[in-house]
Amino acid sequence: DGAFEKFRRHFTALGFERSRFANINDSFGQGAIGEEAVAKADFVFCLFQSFDRLPPSFRHQVTHVCYDECHHLLAATFTRIFTTLANAPRLKYCLGMTATLRHRSDATGEGLKKMFGGVVYIDFSWVSAKARGFFPPVDYLECLATMPSKPANAKTYAQLVSDFGKHGRV
């Protein structure tokens, strides 16, 4: 609910009316959710567990999907939901986000990456991503930019790279 409120606050500040947002949660009670709950919504937030409660017509209106904790998509129940939405006739954009690139059924994360055409946004450090081969094989130089007391004496990027190449440090 916190993410929903932040998202709605951001987009209402851009001019979207509050009525254009629907958060499918426990406040809807049990059972199917009627067409009226999502008919006017441009943005629908829904847990996987509530997806099957949405009206079937909703699936034909979806244009953008953002999956949080997308590593769960590899579970059979959630894979079915992913497939349903991935085949939505109007789908234009699909984003998956996770801090866990693996699932017990996919130890390497390759299955998850394949679901998103090889592109998955993950939240882990740059150093870990580089160590796991998620970047092309190039040399990276990390440096902390500081402003010396005499800016005229500041080294250029080319000088920093040269020093690093000669000494392995800057």
Side-chain angles (χ1 to χ4, degrees), residues 87-103:
N87 291 315
R90 296 180 59 202
L91 186 66
K92 296 176 186 174
Y93 183 79
C94 186
L95 169 68
M97 300 180 299
T98 186
T100 309
L101 188 56
R102 302 170 188 211
H103 184 268

Side-chain angles (χ1 to χ4, degrees), residues 113-158:
K113 288 193 318 188
K114 185 178 179 182
M115 292 174 85
F116 289 91
V119 179
V120 177
Y121 291 88
I122 52 177
D123 182 15
F124 67 121
S125 74
W126 178 90
V127 173
S128 296
K130 184 176 185 290
R132 290 185 172 102
F134 285 100
F135 297 108
V138 296
D139 292 322
Y140 291 92
L141 173 64
E142 294 184 61
C143 65
L144 176 63
T146 58
M147 184 59 104
S149 58
K150 297 181 181 178
N153 295 332
K155 291 185 176 185
T156 66
Y157 181 74

